[in-house]
Amino acid sequence: MRGKDLDYLYVLKALNELPFQVGKKLLIDILQGNSNESIQKNKLFRLDSFATMAYSKEELNDILSNLIMNKLIEFVPMNGYMKVLNLTLKGIEEIKNPTLHEKKLKAKFKVHETIITKEDKKLFVAVSFFLSGFTDEQKKAVVSPKPKILCIAGAGSGKTAVLTKRIEFLSEFKGVDPKKILAITFTRKAKQEMISRLKNVPIRIETFNSFCEGILKKYNDLAYDRKVRVISYGDKMRLMKKALMNMQTDMSRACNQYFTVNQRRGKTDEELAHIFMNDCFYFRSKQQTILENPIAKLVFDVARHLEEFMLREGLRDFDDQIKDTLNLFSMQPGIIPKFDHILVDEYQDINSEQENLLEVFDAPNLFCVGDPRQSIFGWRGSKIQYILDFEDKNSAEIITLTKNFRSTAHIVSLFNASLQDMGLPDLDSHIEGEKDVRLLNFANEAAEFEFVIQTILASKLDRSEIFVLARTNRQLTDLSSIMKQRDIKHTIRSEELKRVLGEDSAVTLATIHAIKGMEAELVFVIGATGLNFPCRGSDHPVMELIREEYDREEEEKRLFYVALSRAKKSLYISYTGKSLTRFFNSEMKKIVGAKEEPKTQTKLFNKQKGKGHAAIEARIKEWRREKAAELGIQPYLILHDKTIIELATSEPVELEDLEMIYGMGPVKVRRFGKELLDLIHS
């Protein structure tokens, strides 16, 4: 019997065995053992791969999507327009050496039950006044004498409280010199929170960047042959403009080349320039060779100019700091600071350079706290494998915090069910509360947005206790436009930008990446469709050019978990049409009960239809009339009315999405696809 996790290999082997390239539909027919004209004509039923997978079409589509996301297979054009599936070199290698399967096995964390010994309990009693209100597992994490400890802290389990309390314990009860303790985290916000909790403990609290910047300032003359400083935002924009001028272009033309129509939608020229600039600097720091295409050449040329200008002017950016610090330490090992205790926050987000820095410190005592379930930054270099391998690498003690102090029991049950296959223990809720968890289906996005708005208007909560979370910036921008019309105060928060469109007590609209670590009484997770979870696109084209090695499908699933676990009392997950994300599994459906469709909100939307999809239909029909006259053919030969209605209601965003629309074959997608997407999103 083969394991289900290995079934993706049968898809790869089928593609490798086929005598010619095929599309998705024909491949699925072959794997299911269906009969059609092409299979009979080419005798494909004789293949070893024929009828090897007893899966539904939807399940096979999921497997194919996962393989595409992990770049084991790809769509390639044939005869100029038709798309067929092709094995990549990585896919061919995967058949010989199935690393994706091994990664999935490794991602199932090896968890031990946290045992509270008699000695532990004696110590708890001795410092009971100090540990009042903590659970036994939290107490153990605070006082354990083991030199290497990994604290697996689930969502809402009090990881920051444990980390800061352990620092207090080391300083006040164990007599550790505060100067020999380093606490290190990832963001300035997390650093400030730790500083505020440890006002009376004079230890060193740093982000990875601030630590490295301090070292480079102190030892500038050892690290460089001139005075080098951190580049400012103004410097970055100045160098960007200078680079583009040398390339005989400007920011506007570069952004139009770099971003698709949909990626530009809803963003100001300033926002596009900001994202493009950051992406070019990010690519510069990676110094990778990439596939040749117009976007790749644009970014590569800009990055080359930036590197030249920065060297000439003695500038470094945040990505240079840790590299330069590691180089300095390798040349001057005598200046490496010595710490007896290093404590690391958010360890699941660590990347290879940060891990190298911890190894260089070689502290006798290392305490790391994190949660593999919330590892969501693989796309920018973080590696979940470091937290998964920590026990074996360090012969460490594992302490697991499973008591959730944030969310009601129903919400905790829901996000537990979303990551059952990771093998981590379920969290237990500390709060019972009433059940207010809903899965909502809407006919279209406008009705979905109207539900969110009406619920916010009816809520008695302080608006700062309401989050609306989405996978993409595009959804937030569209919702923000409506909220501005209704004069609803709100803040937009993304990885790149924070735009405040209101004063205090504002609703927060945010991408899930940007909201990690935060919580609210009421959380909406909008757009929970198969197109968004997992998300195939990105607002950062450079991310598709840089080959970070991580399982994108698994990271997208963890991202959905992070979204659900932000809610304290009320959680509303919504989607449109029939495309609920496959991450919402059968166990989760049991928890929320039957699907609901709020008819009152749908009716309200229908009253305003002139502003919604009817307007899109009208634009497409007018375009069809003009196109038919231009080509001298009947309008229905270009698009059926049924096709126009489906285009208007589903609002596809990519050319590949158009192929799923009734009446849109490959030829029509090739001829009219870009024009239609512009019409839909204009």
Side-chain angles (χ1 to χ4, degrees):
M1 292 290 289
R2 66 177 189 265
K4 188 174 180 180
D5 283 346
L6 278 171
D7 279 355
Y8 76 94
L9 289 173
Y10 285 76
V11 179
L12 299 180
K13 289 174 182 177
L15 282 171
N16 199 39
E17 182 187 20
L18 281 163
F20 51 83
Q21 291 176 314
V22 300
K24 186 188 288 187
K25 184 178 183 301
L26 182 53
L27 177 62
I28 288 174
D29 281 341
I30 292 167
L31 293 168
Q32 288 182 323
N34 300 330
S35 181
N36 59 41
E37 184 180 345
S38 181
I39 287 173
Q40 293 299 323
K41 177 183 174 183
N42 295 287
K43 296 182 171 50
L44 300 180
F45 52 82
R46 294 179 178 175
L47 297 173
D48 290 341
S49 303
F50 188 75
T52 53
M53 300 189 72
Y55 284 113
S56 68
K57 180 181 176 181
E58 290 72 23
E59 289 172 321
L60 289 172
N61 266 313
D62 286 350
I63 293 174
L64 287 169
S65 295
N66 190 13
L67 292 173
I68 292 168
M69 288 185 71
N70 283 289
K71 299 181 181 178
L72 299 176
I73 62 176
E74 62 187 350
F75 277 112
V76 295
M78 188 174 75
N79 299 330
Y81 62 90
M82 181 180 175
K83 281 187 175 180
V84 292
L85 291 166
N86 181 58
L87 264 179
T88 64
L89 291 175
K90 185 178 176 183
I92 294 170
E93 184 60 33
E94 185 75 16
I95 295 173
K96 303 173 187 174
N97 180 26
T99 58
L100 188 63
H101 173 59
E102 291 173 5
K103 286 178 185 175
K104 288 184 184 297
L105 288 178
K106 286 182 180 178
K108 293 179 179 178
F109 195 78
K110 185 170 66 177
V111 176
H112 307 293
E113 181 183 354
T114 301
I115 304 297
I116 307 299
T117 66
K118 290 181 180 179
E119 288 73 19
D120 290 331
K121 290 182 178 180
K122 286 179 183 178
L123 184 53
F124 296 166
V125 171
V127 291
S128 58
F129 64 96
F130 180 71
L131 295 175
S132 175
F134 282 72
T135 67
D136 282 354
E137 289 76 15
Q138 289 177 321
K139 291 174 183 177
K140 179 155 186 158
V142 170
V143 304
S144 174
K146 300 287 183 174
K148 302 294 171 67
I149 299 169
L150 175 62
C151 180
I152 300 295
S157 63
K159 71 174 182 63
T160 306
V162 164
L163 187 67
T164 53
K165 205 69 174 175
R166 182 171 176 84
I167 292 170
E168 286 185 67
F169 178 77
L170 293 172
S171 175
E172 295 180 21
F173 292 91
K174 299 297 288 183
V176 178
D177 182 354
K179 294 178 182 178
K180 292 293 184 178
I181 301 174
L182 171 66
I184 196 159
T185 187
F186 286 81
T187 67
R188 280 177 289 185
K189 181 187 174 189
K191 174 182 173 180
Q192 289 305 317
E193 183 178 354
M194 290 174 67
I195 289 173
S196 67
R197 292 192 186 207
L198 292 166
K199 289 178 181 176
N200 300 319
V201 186
I203 70 150
R204 190 167 178 178
I205 302 172
E206 303 277 7
T207 64
F208 280 99
N209 272 322
S210 69
F211 175 86
C212 292
E213 178 59 13
I215 291 291
L216 294 174
K217 277 186 174 180
K218 183 176 181 180
Y219 297 105
N220 182 94
D221 295 344
L222 292 177
Y224 308 105
D225 59 2
R226 68 175 78 182
K227 197 74 175 173
V228 176
R229 64 175 175 85
V230 176
I231 191 169
S232 68
Y233 182 87
D235 286 330
K236 282 188 171 185
M237 192 56 74
R238 174 176 59 82
L239 296 187
M240 278 293 296
K241 291 177 180 177
K242 188 176 177 181
L244 293 171
M245 185 174 66
N246 283 9
M247 295 163 58
Q248 298 183 326
T249 187
D250 57 30
M251 187 65 79
S252 178
R253 282 184 287 176
C255 286
N256 285 338
Q257 181 181 346
Y258 184 65
F259 298 104
T260 65
V261 171
N262 192 55
Q263 287 167 337
R264 295 197 298 271
R265 181 182 171 201
K267 299 183 182 72
T268 65
D269 291 343
E270 181 184 1
E271 289 167 344
L272 290 170
H274 178 92
I275 297 169
F276 177 55
M277 178 186 74
N278 282 346
D279 285 2
C280 289
F281 273 93
Y282 177 78
F283 177 77
R284 169 194 160 272
S285 73
K286 292 297 177 183
Q287 300 177 341
Q288 288 194 357
T289 302
I290 54 177
L291 296 175
E292 187 65 27
N293 65 47
I295 291 177
K297 187 176 187 310
L298 171 68
V299 177
F300 183 85
D301 287 346
V302 172
R304 181 169 52 83
H305 280 92
L306 293 176
E307 179 70 12
E308 178 187 332
F309 298 152
M310 289 179 71
L311 286 172
R312 188 183 304 165
E313 296 188 24
L315 298 170
R316 62 173 175 265
D317 70 3
F318 289 131
D319 288 317
D320 296 322
Q321 287 174 329
I322 193 163
K323 291 178 186 175
D324 292 354
T325 301
L326 287 169
N327 288 337
L328 175 62
F329 284 166
S330 68
M331 294 185 296
Q332 303 283 342
I335 67 171
I336 299 172
K338 301 298 180 184
F339 298 100
D340 291 337
H341 288 263
I342 293 180
L343 301 96
V344 185
D345 190 18
E346 302 285 10
Y347 186 69
Q348 77 281 342
D349 292 335
I350 201 160
N351 64 32
S352 56
E353 289 174 340
Q354 292 159 347
E355 180 71 8
N356 289 344
L357 187 63
L358 294 179
E359 290 175 356
V360 167
F361 288 141
D362 194 26
N365 297 280
L366 180 63
F367 179 91
C368 296
V369 60
D371 184 7
R373 289 161 291 209
Q374 298 185 69
S375 176
I376 59 173
F377 293 108
W379 54 276
R380 68 181 190 195
S382 297
K383 296 186 184 299
I384 190 175
Q385 215 55 48
Y386 288 125
I387 193 169
L388 299 178
D389 293 342
F390 188 92
E391 179 184 8
D392 291 338
K393 178 182 176 182
N394 297 284
S395 301
E397 178 177 41
I398 307 296
I399 300 172
T400 306
L401 308 184
T402 58
K403 181 68 75 174
N404 176 281
F405 297 93
R406 174 188 297 158
S407 310
T408 61
H410 297 98
I411 293 173
V412 172
S413 295
L414 191 72
F415 63 70
N416 277 339
S418 73
L419 285 183
Q420 290 172 325
D421 58 351
M422 275 195 79
L424 284 156
D426 285 346
L427 301 186
D428 298 315
S429 176
H430 186 68
I431 307 164
E432 282 303 318
E434 295 182 7
K435 180 179 179 181
D436 194 14
V437 183
R438 301 168 70 185
L439 175 64
L440 301 147
N441 179 229
F442 296 90
N444 46 62
E445 200 171 69
E448 183 179 27
F449 288 172
E450 190 60 37
F451 168 76
V452 171
I453 288 170
Q454 293 300 324
T455 306
I456 290 171
L457 292 174
S459 174
K460 295 180 181 178
L461 290 170
D462 186 291
R463 296 281 171 82
S464 64
E465 283 292 342
I466 301 175
F467 289 172
V468 183
L469 307 184
R471 179 63 184 88
T472 67
N473 288 312
R474 195 273 304 170
Q475 297 161 289
L476 300 177
T477 303
D478 290 353
L479 179 57
S480 173
S481 297
I482 301 171
M483 293 178 77
K484 280 189 282 186
Q485 293 171 12
R486 309 285 183 89
D487 198 27
I488 299 173
K489 296 176 183 177
H490 62 285
T491 296
I492 295 185
R493 186 188 297 268
S494 72
E495 281 289 278
E496 307 84 31
L497 301 165
K498 180 183 177 184
R499 286 183 283 164
V500 179
L501 305 175
E503 301 168 7
D504 294 336
S505 193
V507 176
T508 298
L509 312 186
T511 59
I512 302 163
H513 283 106
I515 209 69
K516 186 173 170 293
M518 300 176 70
E519 59 189 42
E521 295 284 319
L522 167 59
V523 172
F524 299 88
V525 181
I526 63 172
T529 68
L531 286 175
N532 293 321
F533 295 97
C535 183
R536 290 181 292 185
S538 168
D539 282 344
H540 303 270
V542 74
M543 298 307 175
E544 297 302 315
L545 306 177
I546 295 176
R547 293 178 176 82
E548 295 288 4
E549 288 297 321
Y550 70 103
D551 190 326
R552 293 182 63 187
E553 172 94 356
E554 293 301 309
E555 180 154 305
E556 288 284 322
K557 192 187 297 185
R558 295 193 294 269
L559 193 66
F560 192 55
Y561 171 94
V562 169
L564 304 181
S565 59
R566 299 309 93 198
K568 295 200 281 189
K569 291 184 179 177
S570 301
L571 174 61
Y572 302 153
I573 304 108
S574 60
Y575 68 104
T576 56
K578 298 179 180 178
S579 179
L580 174 63
T581 172
R582 60 180 176 269
F583 297 158
F584 207 97
N585 56 45
S586 57
E587 182 62 28
M588 297 169 75
K589 289 175 183 175
K590 289 178 186 175
I591 293 168
V592 299
K595 291 189 294 184
E596 304 174 50
E597 182 176 353
K599 296 178 181 177
T600 53
Q601 278 74 26
T602 302
K603 287 178 181 177
L604 179 59
F605 160 74
N606 287 335
K607 290 179 182 178
Q608 303 170 339
K609 191 177 179 184
K611 296 181 180 178
H613 296 132
I616 298 175
E617 288 181 32
R619 289 200 297 272
I620 297 176
K621 285 181 178 178
E622 176 62 19
W623 169 86
R624 180 181 65 174
R625 184 188 63 75
E626 293 174 356
K627 187 65 67 175
E630 176 189 326
L631 299 176
I633 58 176
Q634 292 296 318
Y636 72 84
L637 292 175
I638 295 176
L639 291 179
H640 288 283
D641 281 356
K642 181 178 178 181
T643 304
I644 292 176
I645 292 169
E646 191 169 337
L647 284 167
T649 55
S650 62
E651 296 189 35
V653 295
E654 301 287 351
L655 290 175
E656 188 175 318
D657 302 336
L658 289 172
E659 295 179 0
M660 302 170 68
I661 303 294
Y662 169 85
M664 288 295 299
V667 175
K668 287 185 179 177
V669 171
R670 179 176 63 87
R671 292 185 67 187
F672 306 132
K674 290 183 179 179
E675 291 180 72
L676 287 170
L677 290 178
D678 285 344
L679 284 166
I680 291 165
H681 299 295
S682 65

